[in-house]
Amino acid sequence: MCLASLPDRIEQRSTETIHTEVPISPSRLQAETQTPGSPGDPPPASPGSLDRSLVTGVAWTSAGKFAVQLVRWLSTLLIARILAPADYGIVGMAVLFTGLIALVSEFGVGAAIVHRQDRLSEDQIARLGGVALLTGLGLAGLSALAAPLVAGFFSEPGVRPVVMALSLQFVSEALRVVPRSLMTRDLQFRALALIEVVEGVVLALATLTLALLGAGYWALVGGLLIHSAVGTIASFLVRSHRIAWPRDLRSILSEVKFGFHLVLSRIGWYTYSNADFGVIGRIFGKSPLGDYTIGWNLASVPVERITSIVSRIALPIFSRLQDDAVEFRRSLRNITQALSIITFPVAVGLALVAEPFVLVVLGDKWVGAIEPLRILALAAVLRSITPVLSPALIGIGRPDLASRFSLFGALVLPAAFVVAALRWGMVGVAWVWLLVYPVLAFGLQLRWTCRESGLRVRNYLLALWPATAGTAGMAAVVLFVEWEFLRGTAPVVSLFVSSAVGMIAYGLIMGVVFREKSVRMLELVRSLRS
């Protein structure tokens, strides 16, 4: 598991569920606590103001995330050359368990604070912070007790102390729930982005330093613990808030119930999202798990970073538009189209250069990651746009459908991973993401979203046409050049030439065939720069 993978795997597949997997809509909470026309009602927002909010949020979020990603990727490449696949495998086994517990560690308190807006008193917020802290302390103790069982499941003694050490994160994560949630509620994107940059730099430097000192897989563990502690301290310095004992639970009962439903949804989602790692680790051991994890993160991190920027901002936008069907459908199509234009060529391009990329950047010892990387990069094409569908369902008032999709995934995908692993090995697990997951996503999630919003599936798919056509043309050109001119060349030459040809081909296709769409994207970029 690469450096970016450990915090990213937890962050992308857990903390971002505050924005994408919330099982109760803001409008429902408002209806339960307010009467029409009450002073707490949020003022109506025009499409223009919502567009500006979206651009502002994307600007600061993207700036922070891309800065962090640059640091993490550079340090990841260095650390992957120092550590062995087995080191990543051991920590990956531990993270499978601690990542699941992390979903429960703050009991959904952060989401409750964000979505209740200003309808919570300072005392209620403090007591919700107490609920989060008590939950974090309890889960830290539970994880320490469960560590031998986790190590026994994987038949790997080294996992036990790693689980015990990582359980300390639950306490620090619980402590920063209230400050982070208040910053998110008040749209303090600049502060959140700067904290993420600090965390990313600290994580990279701490892990790299420990790896150079010969700490082995403890370099990854130490980096995560330092990263978590620094993030908590920074959050309190920016937006401190007291924490109180959670007395008089009746006054915060609705928020506690909110968190409970969120936890259930997160567990289902985490189950299907991480079952592939559990199956490979259990059946094939730590080294194949390390190869698969490197392949997963190289394929997913660039795309998921772009997707998470938008999905983090999408829910409040969709929630405001739930009573304006026309504007809701416009926003859904435009957001999806913009994502596809950026992410489709990145994912397919990485699949095309998977072999020379691994050989040049990581070295021969990671040759086992080439095939999973190629397949998972192609699967990332669809996974780059589906995260927008959950906040769309929640925003329109159907969070039950978003949760139902998580349940279906938790039932179907783990079983498919086991069957594929026993029949076709580690590569078969990767094929499940490419062949089975799209059936679930398009057959259920997309169909439900289109039905509830009144958007025709055909119109949604038409929004994907520019990116699909441009990416297909790019792939055809790259394959032709590789077949005719690059066979037998050095990996570094193949990587450089194929990448350059792909970028030029995609740019020409989009600039000539889809000029209008490209102009709109450039206008968005100018808005972000300003």
Coordinates of all heavy atoms in Angstrom, one line a residue, residues 14 60 97 160 163 189 195 319 354 359 370 400-401 445 498 502 527:
S14 N -14.1 6.6 3.7 CA -14.7 6.7 5.0 C -15.2 8.1 5.3 O -16.3 8.4 5.3 CB -13.8 6.2 6.1 OG -12.7 6.9 6.2
W60 N -11.0 26.2 -3.5 CA -10.1 26.0 -2.3 C -9.9 24.5 -2.1 O -8.8 24.1 -1.7 CB -10.8 26.6 -1.1 CG -10.5 28.1 -1.0 CD1 -11.4 29.1 -1.2 CD2 -9.3 28.7 -0.8 NE1 -10.8 30.3 -1.1 CE2 -9.5 30.1 -0.8 CE3 -8.0 28.2 -0.5 CZ2 -8.4 31.0 -0.6 CZ3 -7.0 29.1 -0.3 CH2 -7.2 30.5 -0.4
F97 N -9.1 -3.4 9.0 CA -9.9 -3.5 10.2 C -10.1 -2.1 10.8 O -11.2 -1.6 11.1 CB -9.2 -4.4 11.2 CG -9.9 -4.4 12.6 CD1 -11.1 -5.0 12.8 CD2 -9.3 -3.7 13.7 CE1 -11.7 -5.0 14.1 CE2 -9.9 -3.6 14.9 CZ -11.1 -4.3 15.1
R160 N -0.8 -7.6 14.7 CA -1.3 -7.3 16.0 C -0.8 -6.0 16.5 O -1.7 -5.1 16.9 CB -1.0 -8.4 17.0 CG -1.4 -8.2 18.4 CD -1.1 -9.3 19.3 NE -1.5 -9.1 20.7 CZ -1.3 -9.9 21.7 NH1 -0.7 -11.1 21.5 NH2 -1.7 -9.6 22.9
V163 N -2.3 -2.9 14.6 CA -3.7 -2.6 14.9 C -3.8 -1.8 16.2 O -4.5 -0.9 16.3 CB -4.6 -3.9 14.9 CG1 -5.9 -3.6 15.5 CG2 -4.7 -4.5 13.6
F189 N -13.7 27.0 3.5 CA -12.9 26.1 2.6 C -11.4 26.4 2.7 O -10.6 25.5 2.5 CB -13.4 26.2 1.2 CG -14.8 25.7 1.1 CD1 -15.8 26.6 0.7 CD2 -15.2 24.4 1.3 CE1 -17.1 26.2 0.6 CE2 -16.5 24.0 1.2 CZ -17.5 24.8 0.8
I195 N -5.3 23.3 6.2 CA -5.0 22.2 7.2 C -4.7 20.9 6.4 O -3.8 20.1 6.9 CB -6.3 21.9 8.1 CG1 -6.4 23.1 9.1 CG2 -6.1 20.7 8.9 CD1 -7.7 23.1 9.9
S319 N -28.9 19.7 -2.4 CA -30.0 19.9 -1.4 C -30.7 21.2 -1.6 O -32.0 21.2 -1.4 CB -29.3 19.9 0.0 OG -28.7 18.6 0.3
A354 N 0.4 1.3 -18.4 CA 0.6 0.6 -17.1 C 2.0 0.0 -16.9 O 2.7 0.1 -15.9 CB -0.5 -0.4 -16.8
L359 N 7.5 -0.1 -14.4 CA 8.9 -0.4 -14.5 C 9.8 0.8 -14.3 O 10.8 0.7 -13.7 CB 9.1 -1.1 -15.9 CG 8.4 -2.4 -16.1 CD1 8.7 -2.9 -17.6 CD2 8.9 -3.5 -15.1
I370 N 1.4 -4.7 -12.3 CA 1.1 -4.2 -13.7 C -0.3 -4.6 -14.1 O -1.1 -3.7 -14.5 CB 2.2 -4.7 -14.7 CG1 3.5 -4.0 -14.3 CG2 1.7 -4.3 -16.1 CD1 4.7 -4.5 -15.2
D400 N -32.8 7.0 1.3 CA -33.0 5.6 1.5 C -32.4 4.8 0.3 O -31.9 3.7 0.5 CB -34.4 5.3 1.7 CG -35.3 5.8 0.6 OD1 -35.1 7.0 0.2 OD2 -36.1 5.1 0.1
L401 N -32.5 5.4 -0.9 CA -32.0 4.7 -2.1 C -30.5 4.7 -2.1 O -29.9 3.7 -2.5 CB -32.6 5.4 -3.3 CG -34.1 5.4 -3.5 CD1 -34.5 6.1 -4.8 CD2 -34.6 3.9 -3.6
Q445 N -28.2 2.4 -9.1 CA -27.9 3.8 -8.6 C -28.3 4.8 -9.7 O -29.0 5.8 -9.4 CB -26.5 4.0 -8.2 CG -26.2 5.2 -7.3 CD -24.8 5.2 -6.8 OE1 -23.8 4.7 -7.5 NE2 -24.6 5.8 -5.7
S498 N 4.3 7.6 -25.4 CA 2.8 7.3 -25.3 C 2.1 8.4 -24.6 O 1.0 8.7 -25.0 CB 2.7 5.9 -24.7 OG 3.2 4.9 -25.4
G502 N -0.8 10.7 -26.3 CA -2.1 10.6 -25.8 C -2.7 12.0 -25.4 O -3.8 12.4 -25.7
S527 N -12.4 30.7 -13.8 CA -13.2 31.0 -12.6 C -12.4 30.5 -11.4 O -12.4 31.2 -10.4 CB -14.6 30.4 -12.7 OG -15.3 31.0 -13.8

